[in-house]
Amino acid sequence: MSVTSRSRARSWNRGRSRTVSIVLVVWLLIGVFAAFQRGYFADEAANCSKLGTIAANVVAGPLNYIGLNPKIACKVPEPSR
C-alpha cells in the first residue's frame, strides 16, 4: 500500500467518523426536542420513572415521530424504618 493510499484511507476514516458523530448528535437533539414537546421537562418532582422515560425518549430520537412513545416504569424501594 502506497503512502498516498494510506493517507486517503485515513482521511476517509476521519470523514466517516465525523459524519457518524454529527448524525448521532442530531439524533439525540431530536430526542431531546421530542421529550420537551411531550412536557417531560416540566417542573415536577423527578423520580426514577420520569428520568427513565426522558432518557428513553432521547435515545429513541426521531422514532418518537413515527409513533414510538417509550415509557419506563420503575419502583425504588422505600427505606426501612
Side-chain angles (χ1 to χ4, degrees):
M1 187 181 260
S2 69
V3 173
T4 306
S5 58
R6 279 189 212 147
S7 70
R8 271 193 224 134
R10 278 191 217 119
S11 176
W12 187 79
N13 282 337
R14 270 186 254 135
R16 186 175 59 169
S17 294
R18 187 173 298 131
T19 302
V20 169
S21 297
I22 291 170
V23 167
L24 181 63
V25 167
V26 169
W27 180 279
L28 294 174
L29 286 174
I30 292 170
V32 168
F33 187 67
F36 175 76
Q37 283 183 322
R38 291 183 175 157
Y40 293 143
F41 295 113
D43 291 332
E44 296 175 13
N47 58 34
C48 176
S49 295
K50 184 173 181 179
L51 295 176
T53 299
I54 290 171
N57 275 275
V58 169
V59 171
L63 298 176
N64 287 293
Y65 293 105
I66 61 169
L68 183 69
N69 187 10
K71 292 190 179 184
I72 305 296
C74 58
K75 200 171 193 180
V76 179
E78 295 291 325
S80 60
R81 294 181 188 204

